[in-house]
């Protein structure tokens, strides 16, 4: 027996609320789907069958008493393993956090629980969210459900796969330079990076604090909007969260785009974009026009510098944030070969050398360099100035248009292993997504077609800060006008 | 650099990172081409203030929970190697 397809968030919530389905049955279906599919797909690092079952039964009991159980009551949701969960392992895909059980919940987790969501498990990701293919996970390989010889994208690869393969109704990821939008694109689902400050980062393990945001994945734009409504809002525990009103995002989605001005940045359609991706995105632009939007050529002149700027700032912040992993208070601690204790300095270096993987060490080195005396001005400070110019580019463009439409990723999913030996090639996969984080704007990726090899292609809709309603409306109108969402990846058990 | 970052790299890693990092630094050197004179560096995309909160007591983690993840502990303390020995 397999899960009903597709398991939508709102649909599932409503079916449970009106008594058509029991939360326990929905939860069991999700657990069975994980049991059947995840051996091959590798989306989960930890499945909390017991806790999820208990939470689902509690929802059923609340409903049986005739009480209102919350906006996500009974909905199975998976969470990227960089978000701390009280009592559930949180490894960030790293050996250095092997065995770490957080004593508290992230604010987004507390909000999910308060809304009645059933936390089904923690999803696979690149170590400390550093990567674009999920291949930097220290624990297991995550595979793309559309073609299991290919990567699912990253760093929130597991969260994208869990949704794409219908192992849960929705999931949370984190996006520092594209880590939600890019895997959403490669796995054929919808993924949103909220505006910096829209969602609390309290309990999100920090990679690059000025760029990180938590955001939702689902198979439909409306479901992403609903989940955003639950997790968004000011949090006194995160001083960078912004105290701005939270609209009910899923209630205000449009289906026509009359009067909407869509900008297409000429710098995004250059060398390096795959021909099939370009064709699909151009097709989507034509569809937006059919829906009433007007298409405008815009320029984001500093685009060619965004990736370099991003990798300097992100690694500088990471090298500082990851200084806390020293083997003293939690996680892995290195010991001598004979089991004896090391001297303090040796304990630090040995713990970090053995606990961190290749890409994390590479980024710590790059960030340490960019911040070091003598190089700080030339690298880190320079990058921050370029960041200001990138933000100005967007500010100028958004005076002329309402949203900007681009490809999410220059190519569809690539073969596992294809870019592992060449970090710079891997970084180039983020070329269309990093600017949004640098500028602090919001962006969403929505499926817009398939390659000749049946691999999903994503359309990215970018908006100014706090324009989530607007970009979700454009994505929703587009999604409703096409039938891409009716295609599902082949299932291992039916293949 | 590895020592600054408290990493103890193998000879093989040193060689590999040297090559990869110089490749990445060549790539980011393009930033030099941009005139940023008079541009204020942007550290956060939104203005960040340091909000004040009420000075009120809130529940905190009991010592047992705070120490539950310690690789080594001694009663209510983290156990660490001697700090003044060596170095």
């Amino acid at each position: 027996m397999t899960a009903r397809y597709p398991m939508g968030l709102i649909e599932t919530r409503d079916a449970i609320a009106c008594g058509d389905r029991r939360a326990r049955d929905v939860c069991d279906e999700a657990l069975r789907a994980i049991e059947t599919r995840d051996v091959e797909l590798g989306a989960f690092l930890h499945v909390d069958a017991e806790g999820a079952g208990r939470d689902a039964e509690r929802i059923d009991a609340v409903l049986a008493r005739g009480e209102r159980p919350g906006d996500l009551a009974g909905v199975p949701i998976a969470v990227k393993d960089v978000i701390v969960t009280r009592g559930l392992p949180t490894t960030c895909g790293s050996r250095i956090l092997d065995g770490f059980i957080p004593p508290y919940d992230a604010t987004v987790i507390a909000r999910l629980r308060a809304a009645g969501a059933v936390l089904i498990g923690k999803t696979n990701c690149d170590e400390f969210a550093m990567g674009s293919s999920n291949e930097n996970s220290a624990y297991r390989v995550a595979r793309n459900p559309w073609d299991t010889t290919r990567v699912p994208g990253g760093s929130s690869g597991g969260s994208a796969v869990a949704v794409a393969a219908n192992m849960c109704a929705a999931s949370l990821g984190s996006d520092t330079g594209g880590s939600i939008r890019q895997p959403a694109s490669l796995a054929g689902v919808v993924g949103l990076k909220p505006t910096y400050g829209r969602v609390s980062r309290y309990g999100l393990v920090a990679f690059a604090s000025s760029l990180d945001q938590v955001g939702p994945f689902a198979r439909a734009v409306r479901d992403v909007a609903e989940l955003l409504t639950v997790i968004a809002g000011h949090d006194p525990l995160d001083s960078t969260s912004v105290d701005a009103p939270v609209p009910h995002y899923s209630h205000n989605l449009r289906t026509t785009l009359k009067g909407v001005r869509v900008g297409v940045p000429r710098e995004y359609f250059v060398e390096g974009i795959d021909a099939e991706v370009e064709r699909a995105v151009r097709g989507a632009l034509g569809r937006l026009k059919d829906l009433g939007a007007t298409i405008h050529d815009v320029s984001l002149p500093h685009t060619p510098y965004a990736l370099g700027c991003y990798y300097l700032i992100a690694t500088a912040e990471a090298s500082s944030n990851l200084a806390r992993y020293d083997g003293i208070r939690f996680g892995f601690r290195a010991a001598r070969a004979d089991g004896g204790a090391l001297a303090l300095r040796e304990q630090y270096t040995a713990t970090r050398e053995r606990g961190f993987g290749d890409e994390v060490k590479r980024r710590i080195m790059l960030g340490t360099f960019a911040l070091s005396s003598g190089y700080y001005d030339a690298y880190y400070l320079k990058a921050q100035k370029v960041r200001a110019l990138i933000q100005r580019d967007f500010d100028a463009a958004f005076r002329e248009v309402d949203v900007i439409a681009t490809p999410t990723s220059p190519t569809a999913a690539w073969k596992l292993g294809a870019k592992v030996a060449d970090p710079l090639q891997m970084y180039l996969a983020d070329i269309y997504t990093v600017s949004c984080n640098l500028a602090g704007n919001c962006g969403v990726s929505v499926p817009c077609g398939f390659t000749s090899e049946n691999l999903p292609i994503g359309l990215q809709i970018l908006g100014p800060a706090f324009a989530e309603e607007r970009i979700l409306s454009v994505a929703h109108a587009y999604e409703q006008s096409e039938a891409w969402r009716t295609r599902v990846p082949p299932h291992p058990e039916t293949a | 650099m590895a020592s600054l970052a408290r990493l103890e790299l193998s000879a093989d890693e040193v060689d590999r990172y040297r090559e990869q990092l110089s490749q990445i630094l060549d790539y980011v050197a393009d930033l030099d081409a941009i005139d940023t004179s008079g541009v204020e560096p942007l550290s956060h995309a939104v203005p960040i203030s340091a909000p004040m909160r009420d000075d009120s007591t809130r529940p905190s983690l009991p010592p047992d929970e705070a120490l539950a993840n310690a690789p080594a502990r001694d009663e209510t303390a983290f156990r660490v190697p001697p700090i003044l020995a060596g170095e």
Side-chain angles (χ1 to χ4, degrees):
Chain A
M1 179 161 163
T2 59
R4 295 179 197 184
Y5 222 97
M7 176 164 56
L9 181 154
I10 292 174
E11 181 195 25
T12 302
R13 187 260 323 269
D14 290 349
I16 292 170
C18 73
D20 277 359
R21 307 198 64 197
R22 289 193 326 132
R24 177 77 223 200
D25 295 338
V26 171
C27 174
D28 287 344
E29 262 182 19
L31 291 171
R32 270 196 302 273
I34 293 169
E35 209 173 292
T36 321
R37 293 172 203 153
D38 207 44
V39 177
E40 182 178 20
L41 295 176
F44 285 86
L45 292 180
H46 181 79
V47 178
D48 186 23
E50 201 181 306
R54 206 168 46 231
D55 288 349
E57 281 171 16
R58 189 163 55 233
I59 295 297
D60 286 329
V62 168
L63 279 164
R65 290 198 299 271
E67 294 165 20
R68 253 188 67 86
D71 283 342
L72 298 176
V75 178
I77 291 182
V79 176
K80 186 179 184 181
D81 207 29
V82 295
I83 298 172
V84 302
T85 41
R86 184 184 167 92
L88 280 184
T90 301
T91 66
C92 298
S94 180
R95 289 282 169 214
I96 211 159
L97 281 175
D98 208 358
F100 175 58
I101 313 248
Y104 70 103
D105 272 333
T107 296
V108 290
I109 300 297
R111 289 182 184 224
L112 289 187
R113 292 195 201 275
V118 173
L119 252 60
I120 202 103
K122 305 296 293 287
T123 56
N124 203 354
C125 56
D126 285 300
E127 184 175 5
F128 286 105
M130 297 180 189
S132 309
S133 68
N134 216 113
E135 289 164 295
N136 297 330
S137 166
Y139 294 96
R140 61 190 301 211
V141 178
R143 295 171 185 278
N144 193 311
W146 296 89
D147 176 350
T148 53
T149 67
R150 291 175 189 269
V151 301
S155 68
S156 313
S159 293
V161 172
V163 168
N166 203 35
M167 297 188 277
C168 55
S171 62
L172 293 184
S174 67
D175 190 315
T176 304
S179 282
I180 290 174
R181 291 159 289 154
Q182 187 259 18
S185 172
L186 268 49
V189 297
V190 184
L192 173 95
K193 184 204 91 74
T195 305
Y196 186 79
R198 176 75 294 187
V199 176
S200 169
R201 292 185 297 112
Y202 180 73
L204 167 65
V205 177
F207 159 15
S209 312
S210 81
L211 304 165
D212 298 339
Q213 270 290 291
V214 175
F217 286 93
R219 279 179 299 274
V221 174
R222 189 182 289 282
D223 289 347
V224 158
E226 186 72 2
L227 187 47
L228 177 65
T229 307
V230 172
I231 62 170
H234 180 245
D235 176 13
L237 298 174
D238 173 7
S239 66
T240 63
S241 75
V242 174
D243 196 358
V246 179
H248 202 131
Y249 291 104
S250 68
H251 289 178
N252 304 320
L253 299 171
R254 302 165 50 166
T255 48
T256 68
L257 297 177
K258 200 168 157 39
V260 175
R261 299 166 300 169
V262 178
V264 181
R266 64 185 79 119
E267 294 84 359
Y268 279 54
F269 293 87
V270 290
E271 193 190 348
I273 184 172
D274 177 83
E276 287 189 295
V277 169
E278 175 160 6
R279 198 177 318 130
V281 171
R282 299 261 183 217
L285 294 173
R287 177 50 59 96
L288 295 179
K289 209 171 158 185
D290 296 343
L291 291 164
T294 52
I295 309 293
H296 306 264
D297 175 52
V298 295
S299 176
L300 299 168
H302 293 93
T303 298
Y305 307 104
L307 200 67
C309 173
Y310 169 80
Y311 273 95
L312 286 172
I313 290 173
T315 57
E317 294 185 14
S319 72
S320 168
N321 276 325
L322 271 59
R324 74 191 59 162
Y325 303 101
D326 55 10
I328 300 292
R329 288 147 299 152
F330 46 75
F332 167 74
R333 175 185 286 192
R336 280 205 320 255
D338 64 7
L342 291 158
L344 186 66
R345 176 70 182 247
E346 281 70 32
Q347 185 184 286
Y348 287 156
T349 55
T351 296
R352 291 163 65 79
E353 171 63 13
R354 292 178 220 165
F356 288 140
D358 204 46
E359 180 62 23
V360 170
K361 284 189 255 185
R362 192 157 38 237
R363 293 202 195 188
I364 291 175
M365 295 283 287
L366 183 59
T368 305
F369 173 77
L371 288 176
S372 63
S373 162
Y375 297 99
Y376 180 91
D377 285 6
Y379 289 96
Y380 183 62
L381 202 63
K382 182 77 182 183
Q384 285 192 318
K385 290 177 180 174
V386 174
R387 181 177 184 182
L389 296 175
I390 289 167
Q391 191 183 47
R392 282 186 206 173
D393 284 355
F394 277 98
D395 289 349
F398 285 129
R399 279 194 287 273
E400 292 169 33
V401 296
D402 300 305
V403 300
I404 288 174
T406 80
T408 306
S409 162
T411 67
W414 58 89
K415 291 277 186 185
L416 284 158
K419 298 184 183 184
V420 170
D422 190 343
L424 193 54
Q425 278 309 309
M426 190 72 90
Y427 296 175
L428 287 167
D430 300 335
I431 196 134
Y432 298 138
T433 47
V434 293
S435 300
C436 173
N437 302 73
L438 291 168
N441 297 330
C442 57
V444 61
S445 180
V446 60
C448 72
F450 289 83
T451 67
S452 50
E453 295 177 295
N454 201 35
L455 299 171
I457 299 170
L459 170 72
Q460 177 176 237
I461 312 282
L462 299 171
F466 297 99
E468 278 83 357
E469 276 187 291
R470 199 189 298 169
I471 61 169
L472 286 167
S473 266
V474 174
H476 175 73
Y478 172 74
E479 172 195 67
Q480 295 301 308
S481 74
E482 292 279 8
W484 306 122
R485 69 188 184 289
T486 60
R487 277 210 219 181
V488 296
H491 288 164
E493 73 270 28
T494 55
Chain B
M1 206 53 63
S3 158
L4 272 178
R6 296 289 184 270
L7 290 170
E8 167 194 286
L9 302 179
S10 64
D12 165 64
E13 281 178 316
V14 170
D15 287 345
R16 192 154 36 93
Y17 289 157
R18 183 177 293 133
E19 194 193 318
Q20 291 171 336
L21 291 176
S22 61
Q23 224 179 40
I24 295 165
L25 288 173
D26 282 348
Y27 178 82
V28 303
D30 284 1
L31 266 59
D32 288 341
I34 311 173
D35 180 9
T36 51
S37 47
V39 178
E40 281 298 307
L42 182 70
S43 61
H44 269 82
V46 290
I48 299 290
S49 61
M52 306 292 272
R53 64 168 171 80
D54 292 339
D55 186 16
S56 53
T57 50
R58 290 179 303 154
S60 57
L61 284 181
D64 260 343
E65 276 190 54
L67 285 151
N69 283 288
R73 67 181 277 194
D74 192 347
E75 302 280 324
T76 57
F78 295 99
R79 203 176 173 82
V80 297
I83 289 168
L84 296 177
E87 290 208 42

